[in-house]
Amino acid sequence: MSQLDPIQVFRTEAAELFEQIESGLLDLLEDLSNHDQIDAVFRGLHTLKGSGAMFGFEALAAFTHHCETAFDKVRKGEVPATAELVAAVLEAQDHMKALVDKPNGDHDAMSEHLLDKLRAAVGGQAGTAGSAPAPAQVAKQATPENGLTHYRLNFRLPANAMVNGTNPLGLLDELRELGDCTVAANCASLPDLAALVPTDLYIGWTVNLITDKPKSDIEDVFIFVMDDMEFVLEEIGGKAVQTDTRTIEAAAPAETRADAPAKPAAPVAAAQQPASTGATDGKHAKTAENVKVPAERLDELMDRVGELVIAQSRLSQLAGSSADIMLRAVSEDVERLSGELRDTMMVLRMVPVGSLFARFRRLVHDLARETGKMIELETEGETTEVDKTVIERLADPLVHLVRNSIDHGLEPPDERHANGKSPTGKVILSARQAGGEVVITIKDDGRGINRDRVRAKAESSGLIQPGAQLTDQELLQLIFQPGFSTASQITNLSGRGVGMDVVKKTVEALRGIIDIRSEEGRGSEIALRIPLTLAIIDGLLVRVGAGCYVIPLAAVEECLELSLEDDLRSRGRSFISLRDSLVPFLRLRDLFQTGTEPDPYQKVVVISTGDERIGLVVDQIIGDHQTVIKSMSKLHHDVVTFSGATILGDGSVALILDVTHLVSVGQNQEAQLRVAG
């Protein structure tokens, strides 16, 4: 079994801390007096500094210490929280990421530049606050008359503290920063060498601290380990003794800790359980446990499940052609279990789209400062779940769409005010599930898309012929052409015509489509329709001529019978009447040029994407099929009718129909027939 790289583990945890810190900073911007958010940011910086020092990232720990100190002053009310401070720490966080990625790089100049910004944001106090007074300097002032307090602290960490990532030396260093500090180790609990466990911690400490800091600052040093440790804090010098104790669950036997401070009569470890568990009778609810698994292992497991589904399909086919009752029973059990395993695997890969939306809060904040625009970001449907692969591949396209909405769509505050709008522009990110696809929408209330400008740019670029007749949707879709941009000059945000091209290519690679709606002066809305998953889907297996094809079951609305008479009657105008509405249909036999005669009783499979629907005429509906999607080869990347392939139970290959493309073909055919009529 391979050992985990501790440095990689730290980097993973650091990435999570960066997300927490960034989220806390952006939440703080909405209410600069929110003490909960101030405390949350401080704790995140505190943890990052301690963990960085423990894993050898000294430059990160030293730099983060200054940001932590600045927020410590805010937390204590010494300086106010301001938008400038938040912006400075956000910029500093980007530098912290660089210190994690390249710890041995030359970062001194950037560190000083950012620290200057940080000092300016807190009124020039961050520089001095970042350095703790030397113990000798404190000792000269260590008299009760000068407002200093003498504390005696006895503490013992749990035996597994170092295994869980706690560095006792780091805690002692933080205590030294609070004032004049002397430390004595309690080693009486050390067992004989034969009984010693190398990974366990047996030492306790007694600390005498003379400081002008309050008791809460001492407790904050142990804020992340307090619940599992022994902790006794006494104030010496005429004031009442104050103690705060915790017991170690599953600690060493009492006789091995004879030197430990006396325990209080009633340990409070049991009281640490949150009240929300409702365990008033002493029985505690079992807490949920999460296990971190590398994404590569999930992908590998998904591949194995896919192969199992294919093998199960083969077994079902063999059982269906056999008279052995026991074989059929086993086949049904395997089919049920493989289906349940597939569903469980799909749930493991599903990620709330809110994890993707959260990234854009920082982007909007930075773009607002860069463009001088007032921007409000709203998100809806964050709990909608999508396959993790889809989430990863949608990140860059959504960045381009949000940047485009802010740069091209939203007007400056004075222009919005002149047009009778609120000075603050609004960008809305929303997600919702519609059948087997997720619809992600980017909407703004800006100036909208100028059709005349788009047409002029397209004609000058040779994308369309002058005066060409285009539908409104075809005209708007031109903004996704390579090299297309209506920006008058190249800026950091736009002008090169590459962003929207990336969006189209990525969405098409995900078997998705893009819908655009725009009203000049009112804003634009771009909707991305993406399949929920890219791995295994439920499909409807059909036969056209001698070949088998799979239609994604999520797109299927209903199936109808098309008699030979109805087929002949509809020649020239391929429509069927479906509950007082006309639905266009495509003859797949003609589209695929099978060269075979139609079956006497053909079937029409009605499919839809969004509000559009068409019928597909097939020779036979075979039934449902668990479809493991296999990508098409590079030689077939121009074949737009199919989105992939799958392996059937008999080992043959069935192509998966691209529903989006077929609906588009059907709608275009309908439009041409109406124009001709």
Side-chain angles (χ1 to χ4, degrees):
M1 184 175 178
S2 60
Q3 294 289 332
L4 291 177
D5 180 6
I7 300 300
Q8 187 57 43
V9 171
F10 166 71
R11 287 191 167 121
T12 301
E13 294 180 354
E16 295 177 358
L17 287 171
F18 285 137
E19 290 182 6
Q20 295 173 12
I21 294 170
E22 183 174 288
S23 177
L25 289 168
L26 295 173
D27 287 339
L28 181 60
L29 271 179
E30 300 175 4
D31 181 8
L32 292 172
S33 63
N34 190 323
H35 292 287
D36 290 338
Q37 293 300 335
I38 294 172
D39 290 340
V41 173
F42 172 79
R43 286 193 298 269
L45 293 169
H46 181 80
T47 304
L48 182 64
K49 180 189 77 170
S51 298
M54 182 175 65
F55 284 93
F57 290 78
E58 299 297 341
L60 171 69
F63 181 80
T64 307
H65 177 70
H66 294 280
C67 299
E68 177 198 20
T69 302
F71 258 86
D72 189 35
K73 286 186 169 293
V74 174
R75 194 168 62 115
K76 296 175 181 176
E78 298 177 13
V79 297
T82 62
E84 289 73 20
L85 174 60
V86 172
V89 177
L90 281 172
E91 193 172 351
Q93 182 190 241
D94 294 337
H95 183 58
M96 295 176 201
K97 293 178 181 178
L99 292 173
V100 171
D101 294 336
K102 298 180 180 179
N104 298 322
D106 185 8
H107 303 288
D108 293 344
M110 180 58 70
S111 295
E112 284 301 321
H113 171 69
L114 294 173
L115 287 178
D116 288 341
K117 284 190 174 183
L118 187 62
R119 294 185 188 102
V122 294
Q125 300 182 45
T128 57
S131 303
Q137 295 174 328
V138 178
K140 294 178 181 179
Q141 307 169 359
T143 59
E145 291 79 9
N146 289 338
L148 301 178
T149 306
H150 182 189
Y151 292 99
R152 179 180 294 120
L153 168 64
N154 288 283
F155 73 92
R156 182 181 297 275
L157 297 171
N160 62 351
M162 292 191 293
V163 175
N164 291 337
T166 301
N167 184 359
L169 298 181
L171 300 176
L172 294 173
D173 287 340
E174 292 189 47
L175 289 174
R176 290 190 179 96
E177 293 178 358
L178 298 178
D180 184 14
C181 181
T182 59
V183 180
N186 300 324
C187 303
S189 297
L190 281 172
D192 295 335
L193 185 59
L196 188 143
V197 179
T199 57
D200 283 359
L201 179 64
Y202 300 97
I203 302 175
W205 287 270
T206 297
V207 179
N208 283 287
L209 176 64
I210 299 176
T211 179
D212 59 351
K213 305 296 183 183
K215 177 186 174 185
S216 59
D217 281 21
I218 302 174
E219 294 174 335
D220 283 347
V221 172
F222 303 91
I223 189 170
F224 298 107
V225 293
M226 183 71 79
D227 290 342
D228 298 321
M229 66 179 291
E230 291 181 0
F231 182 90
V232 179
L233 180 61
E234 298 177 293
E235 183 177 327
I236 309 300
K239 295 186 179 180
V241 175
Q242 302 179 34
T243 61
D244 188 5
T245 61
R246 303 292 190 271
T247 61
I248 305 178
E249 296 182 5
E255 58 269 17
T256 65
R257 296 183 284 112
D259 66 314
K263 295 183 180 179
V268 296
Q272 300 308 312
Q273 199 75 7
S276 59
T277 61
T280 57
D281 59 351
K283 296 180 180 179
H284 301 287
K286 183 178 180 180
T287 57
E289 296 182 359
N290 295 320
V291 178
K292 295 182 180 179
V293 179
E296 295 79 7
R297 295 187 182 179
L298 283 181
D299 293 336
E300 183 178 352
L301 181 58
M302 189 73 242
D303 292 339
R304 298 293 182 270
V305 172
E307 296 300 324
L308 176 63
V309 169
I310 294 173
Q312 174 268 317
S313 178
R314 174 65 173 160
L315 176 61
S316 297
Q317 185 169 359
L318 291 174
S321 60
S322 172
D324 191 336
I325 301 300
M326 295 300 295
L327 178 60
R328 292 187 179 185
V330 171
S331 174
E332 292 175 358
D333 287 342
V334 172
E335 182 176 0
R336 174 180 57 82
L337 292 173
S338 65
E340 293 175 354
L341 180 59
R342 181 204 63 173
D343 294 340
T344 301
M345 188 63 229
M346 299 308 300
V347 171
L348 289 178
R349 289 171 57 95
M350 301 300 274
V351 179
V353 77
S355 63
L356 177 62
F357 286 176
R359 307 179 190 181
F360 297 99
R361 299 179 63 198
R362 172 70 185 280
L363 175 66
V364 171
H365 169 268
D366 292 346
L367 291 179
R369 293 177 63 87
E370 183 176 346
T371 61
K373 298 178 180 179
M374 301 171 63
I375 309 169
E376 178 184 353
L377 175 67
E378 290 186 7
T379 57
E380 301 172 355
E382 297 95 327
T383 58
T384 304
E385 292 188 332
V386 189
D387 190 288
K388 73 172 187 66
T389 305
V390 176
I391 289 286
E392 293 166 359
R393 295 171 66 177
L394 279 179
D396 286 343
L398 285 180
V399 167
H400 289 299
L401 290 174
V402 171
R403 290 166 67 97
N404 193 72
S405 291
I406 292 174
D407 187 38
H408 291 283
L410 297 183
E411 313 94 329
D414 53 350
E415 183 179 337
R416 292 180 63 85
H417 182 73
N419 293 333
K421 296 182 178 180
S422 167
T424 302
K426 184 177 293 186
V427 176
I428 302 175
L429 275 174
S430 64
R432 61 183 176 86
Q433 186 174 339
E437 61 185 13
V438 62
V439 182
I440 298 179
T441 305
I442 302 91
K443 184 178 180 180
D444 65 73
D445 63 348
R447 56 174 66 95
I449 298 177
N450 188 317
R451 269 78 167 175
D452 295 335
R453 193 172 179 182
V454 171
R455 174 178 283 277
K457 181 67 176 180
E459 291 178 351
S460 64
S461 302
L463 296 175
I464 60 173
Q465 295 297 323
Q469 295 294 321
L470 299 175
T471 65
D472 187 62
Q473 191 63 212
E474 289 173 338
L475 182 64
L476 294 177
Q477 289 285 340
L478 290 173
I479 67 174
F480 295 103
Q481 292 297 317
F484 188 92
S485 176
T486 57
S488 57
Q489 60 183 1
I490 296 177
T491 66
N492 290 336
L493 296 181
S494 61
R496 301 187 185 274
V498 294
M500 303 302 276
D501 179 30
V502 171
V503 173
K504 183 177 182 181
K505 288 182 178 179
T506 304
V507 172
E508 288 179 346
L510 292 171
R511 309 195 314 275
I513 59 174
I514 305 174
D515 293 332
I516 309 178
R517 296 178 183 177
S518 181
E519 184 178 350
E520 289 193 44
R522 301 292 297 274
S524 303
E525 178 179 324
I526 298 180
L528 311 181
R529 296 181 176 274
I530 309 293
L532 284 174
T533 181
L534 304 177
I536 301 177
I537 62 172
D538 285 320
L540 184 67
L541 189 63
V542 300
R543 180 178 60 82
V544 179
C548 291
Y549 303 89
V550 175
I551 304 173
L553 195 59
V556 177
E557 286 193 355
E558 56 186 299
C559 299
L560 308 171
E561 187 171 290
L562 181 68
S563 65
L564 183 59
E565 294 77 10
D566 291 337
D567 186 21
L568 293 173
R569 190 183 304 115
S570 63
R571 291 289 176 177
R573 295 186 63 86
S574 300
F575 288 92
I576 56 174
S577 178
L578 185 62
R579 289 185 291 277
D580 299 328
S581 64
L582 291 178
V583 177
F585 64 82
L586 297 174
R587 294 175 175 84
L588 294 185
R589 190 189 325 100
D590 296 340
L591 185 64
F592 298 157
Q593 300 179 359
T594 62
T596 59
E597 292 296 324
D599 281 18
Y601 295 97
Q602 302 175 85
K603 306 296 186 295
V604 180
V605 181
V606 180
I607 61 174
S608 65
T609 59
D611 298 330
E612 309 293 343
R613 61 178 180 171
I614 66 165
L616 302 177
V617 179
V618 302
D619 290 324
Q620 180 186 4
I621 296 176
I622 299 175
D624 65 319
H625 182 268
Q626 290 189 34
T627 305
V628 180
I629 301 175
K630 302 291 185 180
S631 300
M632 304 282 281
S633 71
K634 293 182 179 180
L635 297 176
H636 302 90
H637 71 279
D638 291 332
V639 182
V640 294
T641 307
F642 308 108
S643 60
T646 188
I647 301 175
L648 301 179
D650 59 0
S652 62
V653 175
L655 296 175
I656 303 171
L657 299 182
D658 188 335
V659 172
T660 301
H661 173 74
L662 292 175
V663 169
S664 176
V665 171
Q667 294 299 322
N668 290 338
Q669 177 177 296
E670 178 186 5
Q672 293 172 2
L673 289 174
R674 287 177 176 172
V675 171

